[in-house]
Amino acid sequence: VAVLPSQFFLVGWLARDGEGAEWRVRVFGPLGRLGETLSLGPARGDRADGFLSLAGAEDGVWAAWTDGEARTVRLARVREE
């Protein structure tokens, strides 16, 4: 969970479906208001994927996660509209 400049929250999770997994985020606002779900990138869905880390910045949030298959760290920036 990270705080956006608007004081809304960005929540992230590992979503699994029948064919694989992916990292996703969604804005959560006052009174339970939900924004759209965004995909950050694919994942294997196992322990090698580690955990999603979110860090607030002046213009949005940075997300970092381990790409278990490539054995590297991936980054994405989520900006508010």
Side-chain angles (χ1 to χ4, degrees):
V1 175
V3 180
L4 293 160
S6 64
Q7 300 304 305
F8 283 43
F9 294 96
L10 188 72
V11 179
W13 70 95
L14 180 64
R16 294 186 176 107
D17 61 24
E19 298 178 13
E22 66 181 2
W23 291 108
R24 294 182 185 168
V25 293
R26 189 172 197 180
V27 174
F28 181 79
L31 304 175
R33 235 174 78 197
L34 296 174
E36 69 179 287
T37 299
L38 304 172
S39 173
L40 295 179
R44 292 186 341 187
D46 59 22
R47 293 185 70 134
D49 289 324
F51 295 95
L52 180 67
S53 296
L54 300 172
E58 287 184 22
D59 62 346
V61 170
W62 282 98
W65 66 95
T66 304
D67 183 330
E69 190 170 330
R71 296 183 187 204
T72 190
V73 174
R74 302 285 182 196
L75 293 172
R77 183 168 61 176
V78 180
R79 291 186 181 184
E80 286 190 272
E81 294 183 6

